[in-house]
């Protein structure tokens, strides 16, 4: 399977500031990565699909101007939470799918816990 | 869209067997995945079903009935380390996840 890393593991920031989260595919060139958000005791909610070299595809209800996604290379996607507020505090997880077939598994990064004060 | 239902919590004794059910209604189906997620960690892949029937992988087995929109994950010979949340997910290229079933294994 693919090995996926995220940085930072956790971050605390003040309300109104911006936070950048990195997702790296360490052993697989990923043309597509996925960004999820998970609130406590809830399931993973897909936020957006990150496409290398093109614009991300956002799910309904996710503000693209607030959650900026950049996928500049086949191994790195970044999610920037702009003007973060306490309600943005959550567990953000990225994933890589190793192919386009429905049989290809998604592999998840370790997650980034964001706390906005 | 996708509608995925799982029980919220289950408790079992070490060494026992637990079955976690998942029902789904989906506009398109290309496979059903089960993931394990320990508290504060990212999900890890457990199993995948695309055809009807039982897939066995050591202590874990997963079953799928596409006509019934139903799957279950069977955990055998439970160990304390199996205490975690188990997520059912369906979809094709993009996955939709159920809310997860928290399994607590007691000594």
């Amino acid at each position: 399977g693919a090995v996926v890393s995220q940085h930072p593991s956790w971050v605390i920031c003040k309300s109104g500031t911006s936070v950048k989260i990195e997702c790296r595919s360490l052993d697989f060139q990923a043309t597509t990565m996925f960004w999820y958000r998970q609130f406590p005791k809830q399931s993973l909610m897909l936020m957006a699909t990150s496409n290398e070299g093109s614009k991300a595809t956002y799910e309904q209800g996710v503000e693209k101007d607030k959650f900026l996604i950049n996928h500049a290379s086949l191994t790195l996607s970044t999610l920037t939470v702009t003007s973060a507020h306490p309600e943005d505090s959550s567990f953000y997880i990225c994933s890589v799918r190793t192919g386009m077939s429905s049989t290809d598994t998604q592999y998840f990064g370790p997650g980034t816990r964001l706390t906005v004060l | 869209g996708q509608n995925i239902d799982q029980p919220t919590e289950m408790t079992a004794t070490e060494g026992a067997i637990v079955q976690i059910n998942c029902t789904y209604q989906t506009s398109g189906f290309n496979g059903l995945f089960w993931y394990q997620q320990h508290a504060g960690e990212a999900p890890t892949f457990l199993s995948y079903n695309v055809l009807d029937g039982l897939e066995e992988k050591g202590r874990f087995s997963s079953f799928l009935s596409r006509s019934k929109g139903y799957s279950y994950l069977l955990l055998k010979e439970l160990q304390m380390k199996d205490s975690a949340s188990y997520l059912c997910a369906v979809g094709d290229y993009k996955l939709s996840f159920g809310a997860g079933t928290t399994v607590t294994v007691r000594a």
Side-chain angles (χ1 to χ4, degrees), chain A residues 32 34 36 38 43-44 46 49 59 91 93 97 99-100 102-106 108-110 113, chain B residues 30-31 33 35 37 40-45 48 50 87 91-95 97-100:
Chain A
T32 302
F34 301 94
Y36 293 85
Q38 186 177 34
S43 190
L44 284 78
L46 180 64
T49 303
E59 295 300 302
F91 192 45
I93 311 173
R97 195 155 188 175
M100 297 291 291
S102 60
T103 59
D104 292 308
T105 305
Q106 280 195 34
F108 290 86
R113 188 161 301 282
Chain B
N30 277 316
F33 294 80
Y35 283 83
Q37 185 178 26
E41 299 180 11
T44 55
F45 169 75
Y48 170 71
V50 64
L87 308 175
D92 42 38
Y93 192 57
K94 295 193 298 185
L95 292 180
F97 285 82

Side-chain angles (χ1 to χ4, degrees), chain A:
Chain A
V3 179
V4 183
S5 71
Q6 282 185 239
H7 177 81
S9 300
W10 56 270
V11 57
I12 302 172
C13 69
K14 293 182 179 179
S15 186
T17 61
S18 294
V19 175
K20 180 186 283 188
I21 303 170
E22 294 184 348
C23 176
R24 292 184 185 272
S25 176
L26 300 182
D27 60 352
F28 177 77
Q29 293 190 323
T31 54
T32 302
M33 294 183 181
F34 301 94
W35 285 98
Y36 293 85
R37 179 169 55 183
Q38 186 177 34
F39 292 106
K41 298 194 176 182
Q42 295 186 25
S43 190
L44 284 78
M45 296 299 296
L46 180 64
M47 298 176 67
T49 303
S50 171
N51 304 298
E52 188 266 335
S54 65
K55 292 182 179 179
T57 305
Y58 290 81
E59 295 300 302
Q60 193 172 9
V62 178
E63 300 174 59
K64 62 180 181 180
D65 295 330
K66 181 169 180 64
F67 299 98
L68 301 178
I69 292 172
N70 183 280
H71 193 152
S73 77
L74 289 172
T75 58
L76 174 64
S77 174
T78 60
L79 168 69
T80 301
V81 183
T82 62
S83 186
H85 291 285
E87 58 266 28
D88 299 322
S89 298
S90 188
F91 192 45
Y92 291 86
I93 311 173
C94 70
S95 75
V96 167
R97 195 155 188 175
T98 54
M100 297 291 291
S101 167
S102 60
T103 59
D104 292 308
T105 305
Q106 280 195 34
Y107 294 93
F108 290 86
T112 297
R113 188 161 301 282
L114 170 64
T115 301
V116 184
L117 303 177

